[in-house]
Amino acid sequence: QVQLVESGGGLVQAGGSLRLSCAASGRAFSTYAMAWFRQAPGKEREFVCAINRWIGSNTLYADSVKGRFSISRDIAKDTIYLQMNSLKPEDTALYYCAARPYVATTDRASYDYWGQGTQVTVSS
């Protein structure tokens, strides 16, 4: 019902910025909470941030990215974004967008739809 395609990943130096995009297709995009997760080699997929079902709704951030990353959504474009500032080498990971009905959570198992991921590599 919902398909997600991430883009915008790449290589950036520590301290730099990058903006990821996730384009969604399918009905009732605005009824879904959206999130970003990331997975580094050899590690479990971890929560990054999430936004509730409409613009202006509450957002959630992992402690590790608070103050540096921000999530937003553009309903008209059916797209969510992850603005990543002050990037650190430890931010290097494959970043996934995900969707679930209504309410954002930090639980990866609660998300119903996933993109393929986009690689972010932060060099020192």
Side-chain angles (χ1 to χ4, degrees):
Q1 187 175 17
V2 177
Q3 292 182 312
L4 306 173
V5 180
E6 302 96 333
S7 63
L11 176 65
V12 64
Q13 291 189 356
S17 297
L18 204 62
R19 189 179 74 160
L20 307 184
S21 299
C22 178
S25 61
R27 66 186 303 271
F29 169 74
S30 64
T31 70
Y32 283 83
M34 305 290 292
W36 290 95
F37 288 77
R38 66 187 182 186
Q39 187 167 21
K43 296 184 178 181
E44 296 183 355
R45 189 173 301 184
E46 66 177 358
F47 173 79
V48 177
C49 57
I51 187 167
N52 279 342
R53 59 194 179 276
W54 53 71
I55 295 174
S57 296
N58 290 338
T59 55
L60 300 172
Y61 293 92
D63 288 342
S64 60
V65 305
K66 284 182 179 178
R68 300 189 299 119
F69 292 8
S70 63
I71 186 171
S72 61
R73 70 193 303 164
D74 187 331
I75 299 297
K77 296 181 178 180
D78 288 349
T79 300
I80 63 166
Y81 303 94
L82 178 62
Q83 180 64 48
M84 310 165 69
N85 299 321
S86 301
L87 283 162
K88 304 174 181 180
E90 50 263 46
D91 295 318
T92 296
L94 187 64
Y95 283 71
Y96 299 89
C97 63
R100 71 182 305 277
Y102 306 115
V103 180
T105 77
T106 63
D107 180 12
R108 69 185 184 191
S110 71
Y111 286 83
D112 302 299
Y113 304 99
W114 293 85
Q116 293 282 82
T118 186
Q119 179 67 39
V120 172
T121 302
V122 184
S123 65
S124 59

